[in-house]
Amino acid sequence: MLRAILFITLLAQPGCTDFLAEGWLSHTLTELGSGNLDRILVIGAGIIISVLLAFIAFLYLNIDKRKKVEKELQRERDLMGSIMETSPMGILVIDRDGRVIFANDQAARVHGVNRTEIIGRRHNDPVWQISSHDGTPFPEERLAFNRVMKIRNAVLDIRHAIHWADGRRVLLSVNASPLFSRDGSINKVVATVEDITTRKKVEEALKESAYRFRSLVKTAESVIILLSPDKKILEFNRMAEELFGRTRHEVLGRNYFELFVPERLWAECTRQFGSVLSGTPLRLQENPVLVDDSEERLVQWSYSRLLDAKGDALGVLAVGQDITEQKRGEVELCEARDAAEEASRAKSEFLANMSHEIRTPISAIIGMSEMTLNTDLSDEQKGYLVTVKKAAESLLHIINDILDISKIEARKMELRPEDFNLHDMLEKQLSVLRVQAEEKGIELRSNISDHVSRCYCGDEYRLGQVIINLVGNAIKFTEKGYVEISVDHAGSYEDGAILEFRVKDTGIGISEDKSGKLFESFVQLNAGYSKRHPGSGLGLAISRQLVEMMGGHITFNSREGWGTEFKFTVRLKSSAGECLHEKDSSKDGTGEIRKTGARILLAEDNATNQLYISHFLTEEGFQVETAENGLEVLSMLESGEQFDVILMDVQMPEMDGLQATRIIRESGNDIPIVALTAYAMEGDREKFLNSGMDAYSSKPVKIDELVRVIGRLIPMHRD
């Protein structure tokens, strides 16, 4: 058996026939002899079997390795296929003829079709109507496939638009690469396709936003500078160029502090810069800057932090205005204001002094005239004195008008509302004016509607001043006929009533060409050397201001040669007290002021005023002692003399009335003190009352009013 196997094996070996033909086998067998033949055959068979087994093992290992490689290749092919299928990018494989042989779902989706519809189509199929972004036809040579085939290299971001079947226009970005065969020719082209329609819109929006920002920065009328976190200049607009005298290209990328911030301010500005970078904006920060390398100008800055898309600090935006001239103007304005205030104070002091200096002699003239008129005089002498007294009163009226208009212009005029009887007030004013009307032969009428109450709360003095001005003017410009004043209820408001006053005359009237200037200060319609009616031209201007202060307005109606009617309204609060039957605590049951035995100390340095005031008070039944200054007043009080009232002149030598009053009050003496003064500016009354005085009477002293003031202050019963 072994022999047969060996023989067959030998026959199967290449070249075995040659060995046999040469007699090698027979020669060998002859030498070995038949005894050893079986042994040789066994050894040979073992070798052959070992070789076969080794060969079989080699084949097995080789086949197993090949299967593993094929399996790995299959896994990689599956992975690649999965990647291509699930890729967010559209992937196309195009053959050398330009037909699509593979497309993933995303590629089909961005083309508006399914996979089966795109496979086999040409890359430039007319159905897609390929065009440029602006709508013009897209050149064939610029298509990604054609470019790759021409340059034999990859192309990136080829952008064109396609149209879907439903009409929608989609913008695509295509990247393409060639796949080469072994002979170096392009076998296929692999392309990635992305729908960038939305991204393009965002890019265009960002581009537009950036353009608007640059335009805003460029055309803004404010200095705008963008600084990086390390203080480098990133943006520098036109206004910044004009302010600093540097061009944008000169300063971009350079350190802002080193260029434009005075070195002494580096520490403070660095602190501010860091604060803004940390998220705290600064508004209206005034910092000096260097311009033209040396000159300093003051800029008002607003600093804010800019953030990038990640929320990190991109830099600091500084928006500023050059306020150098504004600050200089403010300084000049402050200086001008201070000068104006100083001038106003000087004017007020001048008016106060002039008021005092003029009122004092006028007071003496009027007082002495009244005293003399009470003596035995001839009719001619009385006529002279009456003329003197009227002239002094006219001068006093002009002074009062000048003071009033000065107060109004300085906005120092204030109303002093108190309860008053409207009927009594009107009768009091008309009683003064009735004498003037009778002298001219004019009838003075008055009419108060039944709807008008008797009692109101308001400034009785200022309302009476308006009536005096309007009715006095009407009498002055009326030669015959009448002047009539009427009062009616014109409405109500939450706190009281609106009253309407009408002053009508049959005088010369007002021409239309002059009516526009009627309420202006210092304007007289009959001004000139030939004017017949004297006056300061302030009465109507003052009246209008007073009416407006009382919440009303004034108008007029006139016809030249026929007369004029003035109409004004005022708001008066309802009276909170009883004004119908006022009773003075100084009056007895018969209505007479209790004066018997009342002792008055008159402190007055002017001998003339001292004389006539003492004279009239004595005639009224008072006992009067005089002092020439505050020191004499204090001396008389310290000596134990008893007085019921002190009439204290404010301006006196050695010690004035205010200082004397303060010492009297500090000593605990509460004796009533009445201020007698020629000071009549706004605030004087309050100043005197706040200094400890109990009442106020301005010069020239009207004895009747002074007596009423004294009567209110004297106790009803004296021990």
Side-chain angles (χ1 to χ4, degrees):
M1 182 66 182
L2 289 173
R3 291 177 183 174
I5 292 173
L6 178 60
F7 181 75
I8 293 170
T9 302
L10 290 173
L11 290 176
Q13 297 300 316
C16 183
T17 306
D18 293 338
F19 281 109
L20 294 175
E22 293 176 359
W24 175 79
L25 181 58
S26 60
H27 177 71
T28 301
L29 292 175
T30 302
E31 289 181 355
L32 290 176
S34 59
N36 295 321
L37 181 59
D38 291 336
R39 184 182 300 171
I40 293 170
L41 291 175
V42 170
I43 294 171
I47 293 171
I48 292 171
I49 291 172
S50 298
V51 171
L52 288 173
L53 289 174
F55 180 71
I56 292 170
F58 171 76
L59 290 177
Y60 175 78
L61 292 175
N62 191 42
I63 292 171
D64 184 60
K65 182 178 180 181
R66 183 175 181 180
K67 287 182 177 181
K68 289 181 178 179
V69 170
E70 290 177 351
K71 186 176 181 180
E72 182 65 23
L73 290 174
Q74 184 62 41
R75 190 185 67 81
E76 291 181 358
R77 283 195 296 269
D78 293 342
L79 178 61
M80 185 61 66
S82 177
I83 291 173
M84 293 178 68
E85 292 295 339
T86 60
S87 172
M89 301 285 289
I91 299 176
L92 296 173
V93 179
I94 307 171
D95 64 16
R96 67 178 67 192
D97 295 327
R99 294 189 179 278
V100 178
I101 60 174
F102 173 82
N104 66 354
D105 288 336
Q106 183 63 18
R109 189 176 299 114
V110 299
H111 282 80
V113 296
N114 56 46
R115 293 178 68 176
T116 59
E117 290 178 307
I118 195 172
I119 301 297
R121 285 190 177 182
R122 292 189 58 80
H123 69 95
N124 58 350
D125 195 311
V127 72
W128 288 314
Q129 303 176 40
I130 300 175
S131 64
S132 300
H133 177 59
D134 59 4
T136 59
F138 195 82
E140 284 286 329
E141 65 273 12
R142 290 182 55 196
L143 290 172
F145 176 81
N146 294 337
R147 289 284 295 165
V148 170
M149 297 299 290
K150 181 177 180 179
I151 66 174
R152 298 175 58 82
N153 205 343
V155 294
L156 302 176
D157 199 20
I158 302 298
R159 297 188 176 190
H160 58 72
I162 65 171
H163 293 77
W164 290 2
D166 60 5
R168 277 185 288 178
R169 187 170 179 273
V170 179
L171 186 64
L172 301 181
S173 173
V174 182
N175 301 318
S177 299
L179 295 180
F180 294 97
S181 60
R182 290 184 178 181
D183 59 4
S185 62
I186 297 177
N187 188 29
K188 296 179 181 64
V189 173
V190 178
T192 61
V193 185
E194 181 183 6
D195 181 355
I196 60 170
T197 306
T198 303
R199 189 176 77 189
K200 184 65 176 179
K201 290 180 180 178
V202 172
E203 288 176 355
E204 289 180 347
L206 290 175
K207 184 178 179 181
E208 179 66 22
S209 177
Y211 174 77
R212 285 198 300 267
F213 175 76
R214 286 194 298 271
S215 298
L216 176 64
V217 170
K218 184 177 180 180
T219 61
E221 292 302 318
S222 297
V223 175
I224 299 179
I225 301 175
L226 178 60
L227 302 177
S228 66
D230 59 352
K231 307 182 185 69
K232 295 293 194 318
I233 298 174
L234 302 178
E235 188 56 68
F236 200 78
N237 77 336
R238 173 182 56 86
M239 291 298 292
E241 291 178 333
E242 293 181 6
L243 173 65
F244 292 102
R246 300 284 191 93
T247 65
R248 180 173 180 270
H249 296 293
E250 284 183 86
V251 300
L252 287 183
R254 298 181 65 181
N255 189 290
Y256 171 78
F257 279 39
E258 294 176 357
L259 288 177
F260 303 124
V261 178
E263 191 171 351
R264 69 180 187 279
L265 300 177
W266 282 9
E268 175 62 19
C269 289
T270 299
R271 184 193 63 78
Q272 294 175 2
F273 191 82
S275 176
V276 175
L277 277 178
S278 65
T280 304
L282 292 180
R283 298 286 183 265
L284 306 179
Q285 187 72 33
E286 296 179 2
N287 287 334
V289 296
L290 291 173
V291 300
D292 297 330
D293 296 326
S294 59
E295 181 188 355
E296 282 195 14
R297 296 189 71 83
L298 188 63
V299 179
Q300 188 178 74
W301 295 102
S302 291
Y303 301 106
S304 55
R305 180 178 62 168
L306 294 183
L307 303 177
D308 59 17
K310 297 179 181 179
D312 298 327
L314 179 64
V316 171
L317 180 66
V319 180
Q321 289 285 348
D322 183 359
I323 60 171
T324 307
E325 301 304 326
Q326 175 185 333
K327 283 294 181 181
R328 187 176 293 125
E330 289 177 0
V331 171
E332 293 174 354
L333 184 62
C334 288
E335 292 175 352
R337 181 197 61 198
D338 294 341
E341 289 177 352
E342 182 62 30
S344 178
R345 282 192 295 269
K347 174 185 173 183
S348 297
E349 291 175 4
F350 172 78
L351 288 173
N353 289 330
M354 287 300 98
S355 170
H356 182 274
E357 295 303 322
I358 295 174
R359 281 171 178 271
T360 299
I362 290 178
S363 177
I365 293 171
I366 294 175
M368 296 307 296
S369 298
E370 289 179 352
M371 282 181 60
T372 308
L373 285 171
N374 289 332
T375 63
D376 292 332
L377 298 174
S378 66
D379 292 341
E380 184 179 5
Q381 290 172 328
K382 287 184 179 181
Y384 293 157
L385 283 177
V386 168
T387 301
V388 170
K389 184 171 179 288
K390 285 184 177 180
E393 289 173 344
S394 296
L395 180 59
L396 180 63
H397 183 72
I398 293 173
I399 293 171
N400 288 337
D401 282 350
I402 293 174
L403 292 177
D404 283 342
I405 200 67
S406 176
K407 296 173 192 176
I408 291 171
E409 289 177 351
R411 298 186 178 181
K412 292 183 178 179
M413 176 75 78
E414 294 181 0
L415 299 178
R416 299 188 181 95
E418 57 184 14
D419 292 342
F420 72 97
N421 188 311
L422 178 67
H423 291 242
D424 291 350
M425 183 275 294
L426 187 60
E427 182 56 35
K428 175 183 174 182
Q429 305 301 335
L430 294 183
S431 65
V432 177
L433 296 166
R434 192 167 281 113
V435 176
Q436 300 177 20
E438 290 174 354
E439 289 178 351
K440 296 186 69 173
I442 299 170
E443 181 183 2
L444 181 58
R445 307 172 183 172
S446 64
N447 178 35
I448 301 178
S449 170
D450 294 337
H451 300 292
V452 176
S453 302
R454 299 186 67 87
C455 299
Y456 293 97
C457 180
D459 193 323
E460 176 184 5
Y461 173 74
R462 294 303 179 187
L463 179 57
Q465 185 177 355
V466 175
I467 293 172
I468 287 285
N469 284 340
L470 294 180
V471 177
N473 268 357
I475 294 173
K476 181 167 63 174
F477 291 103
T478 300
E479 300 300 329
K480 60 181 180 179
Y482 66 90
V483 173
E484 180 181 39
I485 179 170
S486 59
V487 187
D488 202 353
H489 186 275
S492 301
Y493 72 109
E494 58 272 16
D495 294 328
I498 301 174
L499 300 186
E500 181 182 79
F501 293 77
R502 294 174 181 263
V503 178
K504 185 177 181 181
D505 65 60
T506 57
I508 62 175
I510 302 168
S511 61
E512 292 185 6
D513 61 321
K514 296 180 179 179
S515 60
K517 298 181 178 180
L518 191 62
F519 293 104
E520 294 182 9
S521 301
F522 303 103
V523 171
Q524 294 177 304
L525 300 187
N526 63 335
Y529 293 113
S530 62
K531 73 174 186 176
R532 299 174 52 195
H533 307 96
S536 63
L538 294 173
L540 291 178
I542 293 171
S543 297
R544 184 185 66 176
Q545 296 288 345
L546 292 176
V547 166
E548 290 175 355
M549 289 177 65
M550 289 185 279
H553 62 277
I554 184 169
T555 59
F556 75 95
N557 221 328
S558 182
R559 182 180 174 188
E560 192 171 9
W562 291 82
T564 304
E565 181 182 42
F566 282 87
K567 180 173 67 175
F568 71 92
T569 59
V570 294
R571 292 179 175 230
L572 297 175
K573 294 183 179 180
S574 300
S575 175
E578 180 61 49
C579 71
L580 296 178
H581 306 289
E582 289 182 343
K583 289 186 179 181
D584 200 316
S585 61
S586 63
K587 295 183 180 180
D588 58 18
T590 64
E592 294 295 325
I593 297 177
R594 293 177 175 270
K595 296 174 280 191
T596 305
R599 300 192 71 228
I600 295 176
L601 175 57
L602 172 62
E604 170 63 65
D605 64 312
N606 185 279
T608 305
N609 288 339
Q610 200 179 88
L611 176 62
Y612 91 81
I613 294 174
S614 299
H615 171 79
F616 284 112
L617 289 179
T618 301
E619 285 192 346
E620 292 290 334
F622 296 105
Q623 299 180 27
V624 182
E625 296 290 335
T626 62
E628 293 187 358
N629 56 60
L631 290 176
E632 290 187 13
V633 172
L634 296 178
S635 177
M636 295 175 74
L637 292 177
E638 289 173 358
S639 67
E641 292 192 54
Q642 298 295 319
F643 298 98
D644 296 297
V645 178
I646 298 176
L647 303 181
M648 186 80 76
D649 187 16
V650 172
Q651 187 179 43
M652 294 183 292
E654 299 188 43
M655 179 181 287
D656 61 43
L658 296 178
Q659 187 177 358
T661 300
R662 185 168 58 254
I663 295 174
I664 292 171
R665 295 305 185 219
E666 289 175 352
S667 68
N669 193 336
D670 60 355
I671 183 172
I673 300 176
V674 179
L676 292 182
T677 180
Y679 289 104
M681 294 296 290
E682 191 71 22
D684 288 340
R685 179 177 182 274
E686 287 73 14
K687 179 171 66 176
F688 302 147
L689 296 180
N690 292 336
S691 70
M693 296 179 173
D694 299 283
Y696 169 90
S697 180
S698 65
K699 295 178 182 178
V701 174
K702 296 180 179 178
I703 297 300
D704 292 342
E705 292 184 3
L706 182 59
V707 169
R708 282 195 292 271
V709 171
I710 294 172
R712 288 197 299 267
L713 297 176
I714 294 178
M716 189 166 185
H717 299 286
R718 299 174 61 241
D719 293 335

